[in-house]
Amino acid sequence: MPVRTPDPDPSENDDARGARRDPLDGIGGGSTGSSANPGWLSDVELAEARRRLPMLYVEAVPVRTDGMGQVIQVGILLRATPVGEITRTIVSGRVRYGETVRDALFRHLENDLGPMAFPLLPPQPVPFTVAEYFPLPGVSAFHDDRQHAVSLAFVVPVTGTCEPRQDALEVTWLSPDEAASDAVAAEMEGGRGSLIRLALASVGALR
Amino acid sequence: MPVRTPDPDPSENDDARGARRDPLDGIGGGSTGSSANPGWLSDVELAEARRRLPMLYVEAVPVRTDGMGQVIQVGILLRATPVGEITRTIVSGRVRYGETVRDALFRHLENDLGPMAFPLLPPQPVPFTVAEYFPLPGVSAFHDDRQHAVSLAFVVPVTGTCEPRQDALEVTWLSPDEAASDAVAAEMEGGRGSLIRLALASVGALR
Amino acid sequence: MPVRTPDPDPSENDDARGARRDPLDGIGGGSTGSSANPGWLSDVELAEARRRLPMLYVEAVPVRTDGMGQVIQVGILLRATPVGEITRTIVSGRVRYGETVRDALFRHLENDLGPMAFPLLPPQPVPFTVAEYFPLPGVSAFHDDRQHAVSLAFVVPVTGTCEPRQDALEVTWLSPDEAASDAVAAEMEGGRGSLIRLALASVGALR
Amino acid sequence: MPVRTPDPDPSENDDARGARRDPLDGIGGGSTGSSANPGWLSDVELAEARRRLPMLYVEAVPVRTDGMGQVIQVGILLRATPVGEITRTIVSGRVRYGETVRDALFRHLENDLGPMAFPLLPPQPVPFTVAEYFPLPGVSAFHDDRQHAVSLAFVVPVTGTCEPRQDALEVTWLSPDEAASDAVAAEMEGGRGSLIRLALASVGALR
């Protein structure tokens, strides 16, 4: 399937469109360091920067664990692309100027999974992997035709109910084996099938 | 202060004493793989094995986190030694034959912090460090004059109330800076002051 | 294929063979803490302990890296079992009483890969995973019908020439993709196909 | 002491000097993805971006290891600031557009330690910590008054001879205990004393 990108920030790109109220970067809820930051970029400036600098992203693989901490399910997001195609993805988004990695992670989890997901952010600041997305395929396992993005990827247990804020978005819970399958990998954007496998490996749930 | 040991299993050592119903290894609560295992050692046999084989331990540094997953407090145990000395330690105990590391971790957390501590075991099987305790001081940072023990050490957030099961045991909650101080390290057994610092470093809370 | 065991210590088991030919535990080269240790077990005692205590193991997935540290090849060992069957495995062996994990790792690397392999032991004491082998299949991804073993597994770059000390042993170098394949996993003992995948995931080389 | 910044890219900042002497970003040796990249920013543009986007950095704590992989020395850089002050720091620099993290790490190691340092880049893509530098002190342990920078920090063994390319730069080798001392921390820029301690903790060399 056509590769696609780490989650762009629609709020910053789509202002001109008037409609399409930003589902991902709207209010910055949960972000202590980022509110009303004069340093943010206009759409044009961000588009420019994307062609000149590596963009810093966070990504999260939502999981459900049993009472002993063992991962038993993996949450995969269904999303409709602008051209109407349905793809699978994970929680993903940009780190803003002045925002901590932790705040960005929380903000994107809330945006993609809803306010009742109750994610348990890990105490450790270290991701399970660093995923590098390049505009040119083949440089790494990951690809994003719009930008060079470097993503800190975390496994995040969620304890509540996921209600994605956008209509086009749904969370499907799969067993670790299903989530690691070639079938699921083939439906995921930008090489994120590999990312799911690395996530499962980090929690000892990859066979 | 005199160094001491990773948590012995009183149940296995103190049978002969009749009294002293085992606070640490009594019922094996929470341990799916270990109940009524005929493979367990008698006291004499265990004492023998301790002089011949490295013993596998798990250790846990209990922490409290804020809503964003950041560590804000560290739980240190106060314990009276058999000779009446008060020392500081962390959750620690042996992995039994047939028991998973995760089960052992849960069992010792429950024994040391009580049934209402509600620990959140990490999804990852990898410890923040591997602490090697040798009978001879100086081989490593850690020391146990009774045995060669190798311990898988984890940071474990607890969300409930800690009520140590033994009279002699109390949990003190310290800030990361206090927990990492030389004063606290000096009161800890077997080099576990270093272990606390490594734990804090793994969650980015060591300055 | 029939599952098999983390590498036993032939030196301790093979007394019956008279000559006490010891391909794995011969000289203890590189092991500072383990020479002539009176604490070691006789064969009978070790066999006894194996039924009562979890045994501590180290395992190593040997790799070759390019000049930038990226893993380009994985070394898989071919070994003839006592019944003449050929299986694939990795470097594996027990940690002795008084021996550091690092020394045990070096000793088994030297025994399995020869004295000219020049392994680069990682500075970190933390394994990429903790593999738990149980006598009963199904408890975890790993299985060893002879014992309960807990193994600290490391990825170890080797820079020299591998000349396995035993006739029955050969090192085959595979690409990461080959090493992660179902075909290779099917030939590996005790679930170590999963271990290879976890190793590759830890170095970002699993697709 | 006055906090300072993750290593700026002098090549991009120092146009005013006319000669565009570039000690850190000169030739991009070893960088496969970064040569002659039309996407790079002019000085003005970079200065602008620094006020609007988090900058992605890599940092390296150079170490010397013994034959068993254990860290025995830590390399600290001495550097003269533009105002003539001498400070201590570590290897540090920006990741360029199109450049892999690994390439950036290698490039900055070569620039700061010289071409004969022979660093052994780790096979793992995961840093020992993610250090977040904010323009405002107090948000995290790290501070950079010029920008919001997020740094992936690695421990890198070096096997050769360090000959810093700049006159003002020198490498001092300290024992782990010295490197972790308050005295050294007080001389380091931007909170990097903490970074050194986290690095030592990750290799089990912090007491």
Side-chain angles (χ1 to χ4, degrees):
Chain A
M1 67 164 299
V3 286
R4 274 204 57 248
T5 72
D7 209 358
D9 294 314
S11 66
E12 287 165 328
N13 289 320
D14 295 347
D15 266 343
R17 286 204 260 159
R20 177 138 187 163
R21 181 70 198 95
D22 170 31
L24 291 191
D25 260 39
I27 306 179
S31 235
T32 58
S34 66
S35 57
N37 198 315
W40 288 345
L41 300 179
S42 74
D43 294 1
V44 172
E45 288 165 334
L46 182 64
E48 192 66 17
R50 276 189 209 280
R51 289 196 303 269
R52 307 291 189 84
L53 285 174
M55 295 286 118
L56 182 65
Y57 271 67
V58 286
E59 297 191 280
V61 178
V63 298
R64 293 209 183 275
T65 58
D66 65 14
M68 302 297 285
Q70 200 120 37
V71 170
I72 49 175
Q73 286 187 315
V74 179
I76 309 277
L77 304 180
L78 272 185
R79 173 171 295 164
T81 67
V83 297
E85 200 179 18
I86 302 294
T87 64
R88 291 178 186 274
T89 190
I90 55 174
V91 175
S92 173
R94 200 163 67 77
V95 180
R96 286 178 174 166
Y97 181 84
E99 186 181 40
T100 67
V101 166
R102 202 171 277 282
D103 283 339
L105 196 55
F106 189 88
R107 177 168 59 87
H108 290 293
L109 281 162
E110 198 173 46
N111 274 319
D112 283 2
L113 304 182
M116 307 301 284
F118 298 126
L120 297 171
L121 296 205
Q124 291 81 14
V126 174
F128 69 83
T129 204
V130 175
E132 304 181 61
Y133 293 83
F134 290 99
L136 222 62
V139 179
S140 74
F142 307 105
H143 172 243
D144 181 345
D145 48 24
R146 298 183 327 148
Q147 61 185 341
H148 174 197
V150 175
S151 154
L152 309 179
F154 298 86
V155 171
V156 180
V158 300
T159 59
T161 314
C162 293
E163 294 169 354
R165 292 198 180 172
Q166 300 173 266
D167 299 342
L169 205 62
E170 210 182 270
V171 182
T172 317
W173 292 99
L174 305 177
S175 73
D177 282 357
E178 288 171 316
S181 69
D182 288 342
V184 167
E187 291 178 63
M188 297 200 72
E189 315 177 303
R192 288 208 187 79
S194 297
L195 205 59
I196 297 283
R197 287 172 185 162
L198 300 189
L200 288 167
S202 76
V203 296
L206 186 86
R207 290 296 168 102
Chain B
M1 66 164 300
V3 286
R4 273 205 56 246
T5 72
D7 207 358
D9 295 313
S11 65
E12 287 164 328
N13 289 320
D14 294 347
D15 266 342
R17 287 204 260 158
R20 178 138 187 163
R21 182 70 199 96
D22 170 28
L24 292 192
D25 261 40
I27 305 179
S31 235
T32 58
S34 66
S35 57
N37 197 316
W40 289 345
L41 299 178
S42 75
D43 294 2
V44 173
E45 288 165 333
L46 183 64
E48 192 66 18
R50 276 190 209 276
R51 290 197 302 270
R52 307 292 189 84
L53 284 174
M55 295 286 119
L56 183 65
Y57 272 68
V58 286
E59 296 189 282
V61 178
V63 298
R64 293 208 183 275
T65 58
D66 64 15
M68 302 297 287
Q70 200 119 36
V71 169
I72 50 176
Q73 286 188 316
V74 179
I76 309 278
L77 304 179
L78 273 185
R79 173 172 294 164
T81 68
V83 297
E85 197 180 19
I86 302 293
T87 64
R88 292 179 186 271
T89 189
I90 55 172
V91 175
S92 173
R94 200 164 66 76
V95 180
R96 285 177 173 166
Y97 181 85
E99 186 180 40
T100 66
V101 166
R102 202 171 278 281
D103 284 338
L105 195 56
F106 189 89
R107 177 167 59 87
H108 290 293
L109 281 162
E110 197 172 45
N111 274 320
D112 283 2
L113 303 183
M116 307 301 284
F118 298 125
L120 297 172
L121 297 205
Q124 290 80 12
V126 175
F128 70 82
T129 203
V130 175
E132 305 181 60
Y133 294 83
F134 291 98
L136 222 63
V139 180
S140 73
F142 307 104
H143 172 243
D144 181 345
D145 49 23
R146 299 181 327 147
Q147 62 185 345
H148 172 197
V150 175
S151 155
L152 309 179
F154 297 86
V155 171
V156 180
V158 300
T159 58
T161 314
C162 292
E163 294 168 353
R165 290 198 181 171
Q166 297 173 267
D167 299 343
L169 207 62
E170 210 182 88
V171 183
T172 317
W173 293 99
L174 304 177
S175 73
D177 282 356
E178 288 171 318
S181 69
D182 288 341
V184 167
E187 291 178 62
M188 297 201 70
E189 315 178 303
R192 287 207 186 80
S194 297
L195 206 58
I196 297 283
R197 287 172 184 162
L198 300 190
L200 288 167
S202 76
V203 296
L206 186 87
R207 291 297 169 103
Chain C
M1 67 163 300
V3 285
R4 273 204 58 249
T5 74
D7 208 359
D9 294 315
S11 65
E12 288 163 328
N13 290 319
D14 294 349
D15 264 340
R17 286 204 262 158
R20 191 165 175 128
R21 175 76 192 85
D22 179 11
L24 293 193
D25 261 43
I27 305 180
S31 235
T32 58
S34 67
S35 55
N37 198 315
W40 289 345
L41 300 177
S42 75
D43 296 1
V44 174
E45 288 166 334
L46 182 64
E48 193 65 19
R50 275 189 210 278
R51 290 195 303 268
R52 308 291 190 84
L53 284 174
M55 295 285 119
L56 183 64
Y57 271 68
V58 286
E59 297 190 280
V61 177
V63 299
R64 291 205 183 278
T65 58
D66 65 15
M68 302 298 286
Q70 200 119 36
V71 169
I72 49 175
Q73 287 187 315
V74 179
I76 309 278
L77 303 180
L78 273 184
R79 175 172 293 164
T81 68
V83 297
E85 199 178 19
I86 302 294
T87 65
R88 291 179 186 272
T89 190
I90 55 173
V91 174
S92 175
R94 199 162 69 75
V95 179
R96 286 177 173 165
Y97 181 85
E99 186 181 39
T100 66
V101 166
R102 204 171 275 284
D103 283 339
L105 196 55
F106 189 89
R107 178 169 58 87
H108 290 294
L109 281 162
E110 196 172 46
N111 275 320
D112 284 2
L113 303 182
M116 306 302 283
F118 299 125
L120 297 172
L121 297 204
Q124 291 81 12
V126 174
F128 69 83
T129 205
V130 176
E132 304 182 61
Y133 294 83
F134 291 98
L136 223 61
V139 180
S140 74
F142 308 104
H143 172 244
D144 181 346
D145 49 23
R146 299 181 327 148
Q147 63 186 342
H148 173 196
V150 175
S151 155
L152 310 178
F154 297 86
V155 171
V156 180
V158 301
T159 58
T161 314
C162 293
E163 294 169 353
R165 289 197 181 172
Q166 299 172 266
D167 300 341
L169 208 61
E170 210 180 272
V171 182
T172 318
W173 293 98
L174 304 177
S175 73
D177 282 356
E178 287 171 316
S181 69
D182 289 340
V184 167
E187 291 178 64
M188 297 200 70
E189 316 178 303
R192 287 208 187 81
S194 297
L195 205 59
I196 296 282
R197 286 171 186 164
L198 299 188
L200 288 167
S202 76
V203 295
L206 186 84
R207 292 295 170 104
Chain D
M1 68 165 300
V3 287
R4 272 207 53 253
T5 72
D7 208 357
D9 294 314
S11 66
E12 289 164 326
N13 289 320
D14 293 351
D15 263 343
R17 284 203 264 159
R20 192 165 175 127
R21 175 77 193 86
D22 178 11
L24 291 193
D25 261 45
I27 308 184
S31 234
T32 58
S34 67
S35 56
N37 199 315
W40 289 344
L41 299 179
S42 75
D43 294 1
V44 173
E45 287 165 333
L46 183 65
E48 191 66 18
R50 276 190 209 276
R51 290 198 302 269
R52 308 289 190 86
L53 285 174
M55 295 285 119
L56 182 66
Y57 271 68
V58 287
E59 297 191 281
V61 178
V63 298
R64 294 207 182 276
T65 59
D66 65 13
M68 302 298 285
Q70 200 119 38
V71 168
I72 49 176
Q73 286 186 317
V74 178
I76 309 279
L77 304 180
L78 273 185
R79 174 172 296 165
T81 68
V83 297
E85 198 179 20
I86 301 294
T87 65
R88 290 179 187 271
T89 190
I90 55 173
V91 174
S92 173
R94 200 164 67 77
V95 179
R96 286 178 173 166
Y97 181 84
E99 186 182 39
T100 67
V101 166
R102 203 172 276 283
D103 283 339
L105 196 55
F106 189 89
R107 177 168 59 88
H108 290 293
L109 281 161
E110 197 172 46
N111 275 319
D112 282 2
L113 305 181
M116 307 302 284
F118 298 125
L120 296 172
L121 296 205
Q124 291 81 10
V126 174
F128 70 83
T129 203
V130 175
E132 305 182 60
Y133 294 83
F134 290 99
L136 222 61
V139 180
S140 74
F142 307 104
H143 172 242
D144 181 347
D145 48 24
R146 299 184 323 148
Q147 61 184 345
H148 173 197
V150 175
S151 154
L152 310 178
F154 298 87
V155 171
V156 180
V158 301
T159 59
T161 313
C162 293
E163 293 168 354
R165 290 197 181 172
Q166 299 173 266
D167 299 342
L169 206 62
E170 210 181 271
V171 182
T172 318
W173 293 99
L174 304 177
S175 74
D177 282 356
E178 288 170 317
S181 70
D182 288 341
V184 167
E187 290 178 64
M188 297 200 69
E189 317 177 303
R192 288 208 186 78
S194 297
L195 205 59
I196 297 283
R197 287 171 185 163
L198 300 189
L200 287 167
S202 76
V203 297
L206 186 87
R207 290 297 170 103

